[in-house]
Amino acid sequence: MLVTVDQALAAEQVAELRAVLQSGERAWVDGRTTAGYQGAPVKFNQQIDERSDVAARCQAIVLSALERHPLFISAALPNLVYPPMFNRYGEGMTFGAHVDGGVRIDPRTGRKLRTDISATLFLSDPDDYDGGELEVVDTYGAHSVKLAAGDLLLYPATSLHQVTPVTRGERLASFFWIQRLVRDDAKRNLMFEMDTAIQRLNSTGADEEARRTLVGCYHNLLRQWSDT
């Protein structure tokens, strides 16, 4: 399931991120430094050194915004979030078709994280560049995605995906992975649908007792299905 989180970051947060990234030129490295054997031959971009101060400053901005975003929490159901990484694609740069590795290791802590969900946070507006679409293949076919700056796409880490070549301008983005509280896809999707319905009922002021019962069912299912 692909989920778009509109305005995961506000415009001022995007502007702050872009300013930090553009001022940290020495922190940009070859994107292949963190690619696995499958990704390295088809990865041609640049990314911020994960151990740099620039990365730490930008990670704090992204994570502080996401932890307060109700749709992100509902759709991702995060247990662990890999520290966000940041990349850029200039003209001619691309990342060919690949599947993300099943486990990542946090370079700062050494902690392992199972990659249930991949996330791409767009930091450039679509008019700033040509090409650079994120293409994701799932059970319903191929999807081409190019979102506004500040918008986030969540998609299964098991999916085949790629970034098409940039032919004009520069594409900035953040990318990271999420280990979810509930491992089973069908159960996670059911909980997302239930939480979405609860939020809609809350916004319309529906029957309070019925809403309270549904919230209780949601948390009892989470208690039963959670990995923690």
Side-chain angles (χ1 to χ4, degrees):
M1 182 171 62
L2 277 65
V3 177
T4 298
V5 180
D6 294 333
Q7 295 182 321
L9 265 66
E12 56 270 23
Q13 293 170 316
V14 172
E16 182 181 2
L17 267 178
R18 289 177 59 90
V20 174
L21 292 172
Q22 291 169 353
S23 67
E25 191 62 36
R26 293 185 179 181
W28 289 100
V29 298
D30 190 323
R32 288 171 291 186
T33 58
T34 58
Y37 77 93
Q38 177 196 204
V42 296
K43 187 177 185 181
F44 302 100
N45 65 6
Q46 294 177 309
Q47 64 189 40
I48 290 291
D49 184 347
E50 290 184 88
R51 299 177 182 273
S52 67
D53 291 339
V54 173
R57 290 172 63 190
C58 292
Q59 287 163 0
I61 296 171
V62 173
L63 292 174
S64 65
L66 293 181
E67 68 185 9
R68 295 192 297 269
H69 199 292
L71 178 55
F72 171 77
I73 297 300
S74 178
L77 205 62
N79 182 16
L80 299 172
V81 177
Y82 190 89
M85 301 172 67
F86 303 87
N87 59 20
R88 68 180 178 188
Y89 293 78
E91 292 184 16
M93 291 186 177
T94 183
F95 195 168
H98 64 285
V99 175
D100 290 337
V103 174
R104 301 285 300 191
I105 300 175
D106 188 321
R108 295 180 183 271
T109 66
R111 187 175 189 178
K112 294 181 179 179
L113 175 147
R114 185 184 69 246
T115 57
D116 294 325
I117 295 184
S118 297
T120 295
L121 173 63
F122 290 77
L123 299 176
S124 296
D125 282 315
D127 292 340
D128 291 344
Y129 61 100
D130 292 332
E133 290 85 0
L134 174 62
E135 293 187 347
V136 181
V137 180
D138 65 7
T139 55
Y140 300 101
H143 308 269
S144 182
V145 183
K146 192 174 186 179
L147 301 179
D151 290 353
L152 174 75
L153 182 72
L154 301 173
Y155 53 100
T158 54
S159 62
L160 185 71
H161 56 280
Q162 65 177 336
V163 176
T164 64
V166 170
T167 58
R168 178 191 64 86
E170 181 179 81
R171 176 192 191 271
L172 284 174
S174 175
F175 62 103
F176 53 96
W177 299 271
I178 301 151
Q179 179 175 312
R180 301 178 80 172
L181 284 167
V182 177
R183 186 167 183 171
D184 182 86
D185 280 334
K187 293 176 180 176
R188 288 195 308 249
N189 292 341
L190 179 62
M191 295 201 67
F192 177 50
E193 292 176 358
M194 181 181 291
D195 193 36
T196 300
I198 290 170
Q199 292 186 39
R200 183 173 179 179
L201 291 171
N202 287 339
S203 68
T204 59
D207 182 88
E208 183 178 356
E209 184 177 352
R211 283 185 285 144
R212 187 165 57 243
T213 299
L214 284 174
V215 171
C217 289
Y218 176 90
H219 286 285
N220 285 332
L221 287 174
L222 180 59
R223 187 175 294 110
Q224 181 177 344
W225 291 343
S226 174
D227 281 348
T228 59

